[in-house]
Amino acid sequence: MDDWSSLRQRAWERVFRDKEIGYLDPDIFPLLEAFRTRENAFTQSSCSGRITIIDSIFPWSRKHSSVIYKNHLETSVDEFKEILAQRQAWRLWLVVQGPIVHVYAKDESEAWEILRIARSVGYKHSAILTKNYKGTLVELRTGIKMVHLLRENQDQIIHDEELKRIVGISLEVLKEGKKKMEELRLAILSNGNDPVELRENSEGKPEVHDVGGKLP
Amino acid sequence: MDDWSSLRQRAWERVFRDKEIGYLDPDIFPLLEAFRTRENAFTQSSCSGRITIIDSIFPWSRKHSSVIYKNHLETSVDEFKEILAQRQAWRLWLVVQGPIVHVYAKDESEAWEILRIARSVGYKHSAILTKNYKGTLVELRTGIKMVHLLRENQDQIIHDEELKRIVGISLEVLKEGKKKMEELRLAILSNGNDPVELRENSEGKPEVHDVGGKLP
């Protein structure tokens, strides 16, 4: 076994170990398994999509920021009420995001092939992040994201009607992400030769516009 | 002049033409100009960061979606009220995003160098999108983003207090993006050898976690 193959094997062993101890996202294993059919790739840190509530000035900050709620599978008005009953330090941001998959490809041609497959099912924010001794690192990402200001401060009152609306739409967004995760799984298994219906329904194409100095 | 140099020259001519006719984002030119100091790169479709309101089921959708408000420089409660007075077809989403810059690098080493510089000032969602006859296309992007459900439907009442809060925070987010745009401009001009203060204040580092199967 060459060096790269043993890196790949160790990465998979780690996935199985993480699965065993419950460290893996609860619903991501079928997707990772699909990638196992590709001899020249292995997955790294990936996320199946999730609903989080973050206490911070800005949701992308690392300083003064803590994740106070996280759920990859579901949520409820009651769970939100529990969070809202607690004291907050900064602002509460509700962040719902689709799946994010990191894959190391043995070489660049494998990286482009994985990107082609992912983009064909709507992973339009996918790209090559870096190259190192593990290979070419690809990030696969959809445009699915909600970053909603849930509560600016403790004094702000959130009525039940509003809470119900926000929770409902968060669940819709989460579900869109899970649909995209399944589409990627099928696309990887079929090597991107998936039935046309799937491609037609996807919002595919990378978000690259070839115009002078401006995004539309 | 070789083929690539004339591609570069035409790209810059287009930027100047776009600037002339007001097609460029109103505040992006100084950043593009900074990139002009790099002989082996030229910018393509880029955005200086903006506040938009989108009428759609989901803000990332292309179908049944229209941008009903866009401002790269500022906004106000009055402008929001005007938008909210109109009929909506789907849902109103408030999307505020930081700058997004697309750069073609002549070769891969120039692409990695640009990525290094951008990441050093917090453009952690930056990556290589594609390679073609124009070179290696790099996207530079921060984590700055707000995707807020503004109004689910026409019946929903938004009180003045809530509107003021949302507009205020949107402006804060927009401003964070503009700060990052200026940081990138300075970093490009100094070739990434910017004073330490700048780097210490930035939330730098690409968002790549080297753990088994899970994002933290």
Side-chain angles (χ1 to χ4, degrees), chain A residues 23 44 62 203 210 214, chain B residues 23 44 62 203 210 214:
Chain A
Y23 186 55
Q44 287 269 309
R62 302 222 164 152
E203 305 251 345
D210 200 11
K214 194 173 168 73
Chain B
Y23 185 55
Q44 288 268 309
R62 302 222 164 154
E203 305 253 344
D210 199 13
K214 196 170 168 74

Side-chain angles (χ1 to χ4, degrees), chain B residues 12 30-39 41 43 101 103 110-111 113-121 123 138 140 180-194 198:
Chain B
W12 281 116
L31 176 63
L32 302 185
E33 236 182 349
F35 276 99
R36 259 192 109 202
T37 60
R38 299 194 74 84
E39 281 299 326
T43 57
V101 185
V103 189
E110 171 72 355
E113 179 61 6
I114 291 170
L115 284 169
R116 180 190 67 76
I117 296 171
R119 286 171 176 167
S120 78
V121 288
Y123 282 65
V138 168
L140 309 179
K180 279 280 163 233
M181 184 166 66
E182 177 61 7
E183 281 183 34
L184 180 60
R185 190 182 74 84
L186 295 174
I188 289 294
L189 286 178
S190 72
N191 212 11
N193 303 316
D194 47 320
L198 201 62

Side-chain angles (χ1 to χ4, degrees), chain A residues 11 18 35 42 48 53 62 75 79 102 105 107 113 122 128 139 148 171 178 181 193 200 203 205 209:
Chain A
D18 285 347
F35 276 98
F42 61 86
S48 67
I53 297 176
R62 302 222 164 152
T75 196
E79 282 182 274
H102 291 124
D107 50 43
E113 179 62 6
I128 291 177
E139 178 173 83
H148 183 92
L171 284 168
K178 301 303 175 185
M181 183 166 67
N193 304 315
E200 280 183 348
E203 305 251 345
K205 291 178 197 153
H209 312 280

Side-chain angles (χ1 to χ4, degrees), chain B residues 18-50:
Chain B
D18 286 346
K19 181 172 182 275
E20 206 63 38
I21 59 178
Y23 185 55
L24 223 56
D25 287 356
D27 55 344
I28 204 171
F29 190 68
L31 176 63
L32 302 185
E33 236 182 349
F35 276 99
R36 259 192 109 202
T37 60
R38 299 194 74 84
E39 281 299 326
N40 292 322
F42 61 86
T43 57
Q44 288 268 309
S45 73
S46 300
C47 176
S48 67
R50 64 193 187 187

Side-chain angles (χ1 to χ4, degrees), chain A residues 40-68:
Chain A
N40 293 322
F42 61 86
T43 58
Q44 287 269 309
S45 73
S46 300
C47 175
S48 67
R50 64 193 187 187
I51 295 175
T52 51
I53 297 176
I54 299 170
D55 187 350
S56 64
I57 308 266
F58 296 119
W60 57 84
S61 300
R62 302 222 164 152
K63 286 180 282 191
H64 311 304
S65 172
S66 49
V67 177
I68 57 173

Side-chain angles (χ1 to χ4, degrees), chain A residues 174-191:
Chain A
L174 186 70
K175 212 173 131 192
E176 287 295 303
K178 301 303 175 185
K179 262 172 31 189
K180 279 280 166 233
M181 183 166 67
E182 178 61 7
E183 281 184 34
L184 180 60
R185 191 182 73 84
L186 294 174
I188 290 294
L189 286 178
S190 71
N191 210 11

